Amino acid sequence: MDRVSALDESLTKTLGPATAKVMAEQLDLHTVGDLLHHYPRRYEERGQLTRLADLPLDEDVTVVAQVADSRILKFNGGRGQRLEITLTDGSGRLQLVFFGRGIHKPHKDLLPGSRGMFAGKVSMFNRKLQLAHPTYVPLGRDSGDEAVDSFAGKLIPIYPACKGLESWKITKAVDAVLPRAGEAVDPLPPSLREGRGFVTLPEALLKVHRPDTKADVAEARDRLKWDEAFVLQVALARRRYADAQLPAVARKPVAGGLLDDFDATLPFTLTDGQLTVTREIFDDLATEHPMHRLLQGEVGSGKTMVALRAMLTVVDAGGQAAMLAPTEVLAQQHHRSITEMMGQLAEGGMLGGAENATKVVLLTGSMGAAARRVALLDLVTGEAGIVIGTHALIEDKVRFHDLGLVVVDEQHRFGVEQRDALRSKGKQPPHLLVMTATPIPRTVAMTVFGDLETSVLDQLPAGRSPIATHVVPAQDKPHFLARAWERVREEVGKGHQAYVVCPRIGDGEDEPKKKAEAEKAAEAEGDKRPPLAVLDIAKQLAAGPLAGLRIEVLHGRMQPDDKDDVMRRFAAGEVDVLVATTVIEVGVNVPNATAMVIMDADRFGVSQLHQLRGRVGRGSAPGLCLLVSEMPEASPARARLGAVASTLDGFELSRIDLEQRREGDVLGQAQSGVRSSLRMLAVIEDEDVIAAAREEAVSVVSQDPELAAFPELRTALDALLDTEREQYLDKG
């Protein structure tokens, strides 16, 4: 592979082992090219003061500000002393604190009226924002400091920094590698670059790191954003092109078959949305190339019904369909609901089974050997037209007679290898339907799932009830929490049921790593308490506010049979309150459950809260979701909860979620194990760039799928989108 050696050179060689080690461990930067693509987060103008009012809690920040006052205070009966300095910028104030012998130099350097750059981690003390022992560079007019000279009259780049590596140290490191920018390979075909009026890549890198004007920054950003969008879209366009060349068995609907019999038994009419999406899927199934379709829809919009009708169509056409679920609880739930919906049509080969019936088989890791043998035999002989299972479906010994369709539920729970292993079990590539209840904004669908056609179910079936959501500030107003438990009792008194969700299992047997992570996350939110646990809360509720109610627990460490037993009894109305982890997040369908209390709700993501909330209000009675949090009212965590309480629109919430998480993991970082290649492109804001880049990419790939005429683009594709990530996009 023709890689650019200068940009691939290790930072150890250029910057020395100590700095390179911090960059690798803290910022995931390893080569000269990585550092050149570590762009400034923002720029300060010499003399311009930053907005202290917007500082994020518990983040490493760099600010340019003016010293308002400075004073030395004594404590411990005069034995200890600390220096307190107040910074101001007109929008807010920030306190700097230095202790012990470390107070003398800053006391001399930072006189009232002077200015400086300050870096450190923002913390809260006595309800005031502060930096303890920050590093700083004075920016006084009379200072002979070289930093002042280099910054004088220019835009000051502020880099994403970390502990041990402040923004100005990164500035010096970038200065050391910037001459190599001239050797960067330009991925854009010259005609495209000139046609869109972009600067060259080396010029863009120079301008983004060392701009003379704001216009330089804008020019550089436009070019670098385009590169990220274009390289991604080329990878996806090549994937779509390759898929279009693959052969598949066309699975056309058969009149008078299993699907017609099933439709005749439905006690309700399908929504317009379900009919439209079904038509799109049936059209795809009827072609001789594999379908690759993403079906996204709000919780409860009827995705399972659409998927089942697609599976029945494939069975009618002589094939088999497999549904892959992320957990045993969900696989069992799907199996139970599908066999109930199909009735006699799911009793193929059994006494009392309908004439057109097929077998619907469950396959999970915890099944007994005898049941497993029967299931495997039904698959290999073709007796079972539909199989529902967990990752156990992927094992080598699982063989199909003729796998025609793979349905993946909640695709984000699966690694790419798992999805691909199941797809490889067809004699020819099977059709693929990927389902998610996490609404995905259009730009993300274009970026992350760009090799899948997208169908959206945004209409809820008739009879679904509204869900009221409220934030319960347990710390500020403890009586609100007491009222929450009263509301649960009231719902149970009306004959309904409730969920209580906790972030952790508890009982001291939590994996040490998980517990450490939880405590670290707690600390990051300025809260030393570990997350609340299912087993602890269940005991407290049974002995206190919910005494006398039938309370059960459900979590991932229970034996599968025990989990299934609890879910069956809850579904049958034999349990009043289910205290659970997020194991109930997807697929669990109990129409009689009307209330949900989410403890430590601030520990969950926006989309996850929306998913959890979708478990209530599934019947004719309205749903109630209470988000319990001890975070202070002004915190970002409470703002997040407020957003969830304010809307039931999953697409709006997914936008908020993405904006808050930034784009770091939008490309499935956790699944591919590769650092995100998006550094400049903001998936939410840059819809126009992504759409235009997609158009250009399709044009380039349709003319030259192998990119033979575009060696620089091929090189950039290899460098920015290594094989592992391209495979990730392939299987998304």
Side-chain angles (χ1 to χ4, degrees), residues 484-493 495-502 534 537-542 544-554 566-567 569-581 584 590 592-599 616:
W485 301 126
E486 283 173 22
R487 285 290 290 114
V488 170
R489 290 195 87 98
E490 286 166 16
E491 288 300 308
V492 172
H496 299 307
Q497 293 157 279
Y499 297 98
V500 177
V501 182
C502 304
V534 165
I537 291 294
K539 276 183 203 153
Q540 289 169 24
L541 293 176
L546 301 186
L549 300 187
R550 297 169 298 175
I551 297 172
E552 292 277 1
V553 299
L554 182 71
V566 169
M567 269 318 300
R569 287 190 293 111
F570 187 62
E574 295 165 19
V575 173
D576 298 321
V577 180
L578 187 63
V579 184
T581 56
I584 59 136
V590 180
N592 191 45
T594 54
M596 176 178 285
V597 181
I598 304 179
M599 306 302 291
V616 295

Side-chain angles (χ1 to χ4, degrees), residues 36-298:
L36 285 174
H37 288 291
H38 185 71
Y39 307 128
R41 180 172 286 177
R42 64 178 197 282
Y43 303 84
E44 296 297 349
E45 289 179 76
R46 180 85 170 85
Q48 181 193 57
L49 297 180
T50 58
R51 280 183 60 79
L52 296 181
D54 299 334
L55 289 181
L57 197 59
D58 203 57
E59 273 194 31
D60 287 292
V61 299
T62 302
V63 298
V64 177
Q66 183 169 321
V67 177
D69 59 55
S70 165
R71 59 189 184 280
I72 293 177
L73 303 170
K74 294 195 183 301
F75 60 94
N76 268 358
R79 290 193 299 278
Q81 51 183 3
R82 72 175 182 271
L83 170 64
E84 285 185 4
I85 292 173
T86 306
L87 302 182
T88 182
D89 71 343
S91 78
R93 294 165 86 78
L94 174 67
Q95 195 165 277
L96 310 183
V97 188
F98 300 87
F99 293 97
R101 292 177 187 169
I103 72 171
H104 303 299
K105 190 172 187 319
H107 190 228
K108 195 169 66 180
D109 290 342
L110 304 172
L111 300 171
S114 65
R115 289 173 179 173
M117 285 177 76
F118 306 88
K121 185 170 268 193
V122 182
S123 58
M124 182 82 82
F125 183 72
N126 277 346
R127 295 195 172 267
K128 287 182 186 170
L129 290 179
Q130 72 167 22
L131 300 183
H133 277 281
T135 49
Y136 63 90
V137 175
L139 296 178
R141 284 191 195 86
D142 303 319
S143 166
D145 192 302
E146 64 184 43
V148 178
D149 299 334
S150 68
F151 292 137
K154 284 190 179 178
L155 291 170
I156 304 169
I158 306 293
Y159 287 93
C162 62
K163 192 174 181 182
L165 210 58
E166 297 84 6
S167 176
W168 52 81
K169 288 184 182 170
I170 296 174
T171 300
K172 284 185 178 175
V174 170
D175 283 338
V177 300
L178 207 48
R180 312 279 185 87
E183 297 172 62
V185 168
D186 199 323
L188 294 194
S191 59
L192 195 159
R193 183 174 62 74
E194 288 157 18
R196 291 193 169 264
F198 289 132
V199 297
T200 63
L201 181 57
E203 198 180 336
L205 290 170
L206 286 170
K207 284 185 169 181
V208 80
H209 288 293
R210 298 295 171 264
D212 289 324
T213 63
K214 287 179 179 174
D216 284 351
V217 175
E219 259 189 316
R221 279 178 179 274
D222 286 349
R223 169 62 213 260
L224 296 167
K225 272 184 185 183
W226 180 272
D227 278 14
E228 290 177 6
F230 182 66
V231 171
L232 263 173
Q233 291 302 334
V234 167
L236 293 164
R238 293 182 78 219
R239 196 58 257 148
R240 287 195 301 275
Y241 180 87
D243 285 340
Q245 314 310 307
L246 291 173
V249 179
R251 310 284 180 175
K252 295 178 180 172
V254 174
L258 192 53
L259 177 64
D260 284 352
D261 287 356
F262 174 71
D263 284 349
T265 66
L266 283 181
F268 52 82
T269 39
L270 298 172
T271 65
D272 292 343
Q274 285 174 317
L275 291 170
T276 303
V277 169
T278 299
R279 274 195 296 276
E280 292 169 350
I281 291 170
F282 284 4
D283 288 347
D284 285 356
L285 290 174
T287 64
E288 292 181 352
H289 301 293
M291 166 173 79
H292 289 95
R293 189 166 284 278
L294 170 70
L295 172 56
Q296 52 167 319
E298 286 283 18

Side-chain angles (χ1 to χ4, degrees), residues 346-370:
E347 296 172 358
M350 295 162 67
L351 207 61
E355 189 185 339
N356 273 337
T358 186
K359 272 192 183 176
V360 179
V361 170
L362 177 69
L363 190 66
T364 64
S366 65
M367 283 170 73

Side-chain angles (χ1 to χ4, degrees), residues 299-586:
V299 172
S301 58
K303 292 183 299 297
T304 308
M305 174 59 71
V306 169
L308 175 55
R309 295 182 76 239
M311 292 194 283
L312 295 176
T313 302
V314 169
V315 175
D316 276 342
Q320 291 168 290
M323 180 184 262
L324 187 60
T327 64
E328 294 214 354
V329 167
L330 190 49
Q332 287 160 344
Q333 174 94 20
H334 276 318
H335 182 254
R336 193 157 55 243
S337 64
I338 283 173
T339 48
E340 281 168 9
M341 280 195 276
M342 287 177 64
Q344 294 180 341
L345 297 171
E347 296 172 358
M350 295 162 67
L351 207 61
E355 189 185 339
N356 273 337
T358 186
K359 272 192 183 176
V360 179
V361 170
L362 177 69
L363 190 66
T364 64
S366 65
M367 283 170 73
R372 191 179 179 77
R373 265 197 307 277
V374 173
L376 292 174
L377 189 63
D378 284 341
L379 288 183
V380 78
T381 59
E383 280 284 306
I386 295 175
V387 58
I388 295 152
T390 55
H391 55 273
L393 281 174
I394 294 161
E395 291 167 12
D396 288 344
K397 61 183 76 167
V398 179
R399 294 274 181 274
F400 289 86
H401 176 65
D402 179 12
L403 181 60
L405 170 65
V406 173
V407 178
V408 180
D409 193 22
E410 289 306 321
Q411 61 74 35
H412 62 278
R413 302 297 192 86
F414 290 98
V416 283
E417 296 79 11
Q418 293 171 310
R419 294 199 291 269
D420 208 42
L422 186 51
R423 279 168 67 179
S424 69
K425 289 184 179 290
K427 290 168 187 169
Q428 285 193 332
H431 298 283
L432 174 70
L433 180 64
V434 169
M435 300 199 300
T436 178
T438 306
I440 301 161
R442 178 173 171 262
T443 43
V444 182
M446 272 197 294
T447 309
V448 186
F449 302 101
D451 58 338
L452 297 172
E453 296 299 322
T454 304
S455 295
V456 178
L457 270 178
D458 49 11
Q459 189 183 1
L460 291 185
R464 285 302 299 267
S465 302
I467 305 168
T469 309
H470 303 285
V471 179
V472 177
Q475 189 79 15
D476 308 345
K477 298 174 179 171
H479 59 286
F480 275 37
L481 182 58
R483 175 67 188 130
W485 301 126
E486 283 173 22
R487 285 290 290 114
V488 170
R489 290 195 87 98
E490 286 166 16
E491 288 300 308
V492 172
K494 292 177 194 167
H496 299 307
Q497 293 157 279
Y499 297 98
V500 177
V501 182
C502 304
R504 204 161 56 90
I505 298 172
D507 84 353
E509 287 184 33
D510 280 346
E511 303 88 323
K513 186 180 171 193
K514 263 192 175 174
K515 196 165 183 183
E517 279 172 9
E519 281 166 1
K520 194 175 173 188
E523 212 168 307
E525 289 277 20
D527 179 2
K528 298 292 185 279
R529 173 176 67 67
L532 294 171
V534 165
L535 299 172
D536 303 336
I537 291 294
K539 276 183 203 153
Q540 289 169 24
L541 293 176
L546 301 186
L549 300 187
R550 297 169 298 175
I551 297 172
E552 292 277 1
V553 299
L554 182 71
H555 56 75
R557 244 193 359 252
M558 290 164 64
Q559 288 302 313
D561 286 351
D562 295 340
K563 275 192 273 194
D564 198 37
D565 178 56
V566 169
M567 269 318 300
R568 273 180 189 283
R569 287 190 293 111
F570 187 62
E574 295 165 19
V575 173
D576 298 321
V577 180
L578 187 63
V579 184
T581 56
T582 54
V583 74
I584 59 136
E585 181 185 347
V586 288

